[in-house]
Amino acid sequence: MRHSQLFTKTRRETPSDEVAKNAQLLMRAGYIHKEMAGVYSYLPLGLRTLNRIVQIIREEMDAIGGQELVMSALQDKELWSRTDRWDDAKVDIWFKTLFKSGGETGLGITHEEPLTRIMTEHISSYRDLPVYAYQFQNKFRNELRAKAGIMRGKEFLMKDLYSFSRNEVEHADFYTSAREAYRKVFRRLGIGDWTYLTFASGGIFSEFSEEFQTISNAGEDTIYIDEAKGIAVNKEVMSDDSLEKLGLHRSSLVERRAIEVGNIFNLGTRFSEKLGLTYADEQGVSRPVVMGCYGIGPSRLMGVLVETLADEKGIVWPAVVAPFRYHLVSLGHAGDEVSKVADELYADLEKAGIATLYDDRDLRAGEKFADSDLLGMPYRIVVGKDAAATGLFEVVERATGAVAKRSRAEILAAPQ
Ligand code: ATP
Ligand code: MG
């Protein structure tokens, strides 16, 4: 993409109405637009990154047998009343509105109810199980806190997967593979080393559920980590009793701020029993389906990556999710030799299918470099008089500042 064609603009000033570093930088760089507190739009560069995060998660969900679908945002009051999750006194984060034709609806906060009902039309025998279904969809929650930028939106993207199994054993098998798939996602995103499997309150669902918590000073949770074991306990469930159950000792735990990036729950049969999702086993006996749910927040993850990797100059994307691998910065001016060389390299990169943002604008070098630092592509290729003369380009790694001289062939051979 040519920068001159990109409609988004960068800005130098930090937005005054935004306290979170992730949103400040993403807004300054033109990745997102703030509509209202806790409500953000994703602009072209931001969408590219979000989509790449989504794709990594999708690959790992497909690898464990997930089938992708997408459910409606508008929810059926009658259905949610059956599980007692419609009443504002029970669930206080709904956005609700009225139908002109009469009756009430709400915007989906999660999707256990609708998917369980869908499954009643598709599951009737043990032969139909297990089933794993997931979606990427915007959730709507009337969250009170709005200080974490895109890490806590009132409208945000979630990947939610639900598992439907014959019994606890079959469920446990899948639960284990989902936990491993989550670990893979966080490793691929480059935050595996500071993302901990964390035991947490399961609220109404179970005594213990598991969360994945990424260390971040911007996080709203406090966790206690056993670094040797690589696991943690959420402060919410810290007690001598829970530590004993987990085989952990207070003395070996370190306290850190963290943000939940994903979680996995055993739902048991609470939804299947209330909504009539049963199957006939081998003996023809009717049994409730055993369920699990598995959430992960792609938009929150995008915020976490900015929070944890950015430096004083701007965003630093890991190559796997950067909107573009290369930021090709031409120091030439329309028609001169330098811009001709830059044009040619850009054409070659495009032809090779290597995602490149080409700064072809007629601006001062300092301005272009400042934008390049702010935007955070993994590698910057500088085309100046030198490159035009020698055929060697300066390639600067954004994360480290390391500079290398590379030929066109070496640049084009880069892994994608
Ligand atoms: P939190 O305790 O942070 O509010 P939660 O327990 O409500 O999270 P879930 O309902 O399990 O989270 O949602 C699954 C995933 O969706 C979370 O792990 C997180 O990554 C993401 N998520 C949840 N709430 C938000 C939000 N308001 N904005 C962005 N992402 C969110
Ligand atoms: Mg929440």
Side-chain angles (χ1 to χ4, degrees), residues 93 141 143 145 152 156 260 300:
I93 50 170
R141 294 181 180 179
E143 303 261 14
R145 291 176 287 182
R152 183 172 299 283
F156 63 94
E260 179 197 310
R300 178 174 288 184

Side-chain angles (χ1 to χ4, degrees), residues 20 22-23 26 32 40 42 148-153 156 299-300 302-303:
N22 68 83
L26 289 165
I32 62 171
Y40 300 91
Y42 288 75
I150 63 167
M151 298 198 302
R152 183 172 299 283
F156 63 94
S299 50
R300 178 174 288 184
M302 183 167 159

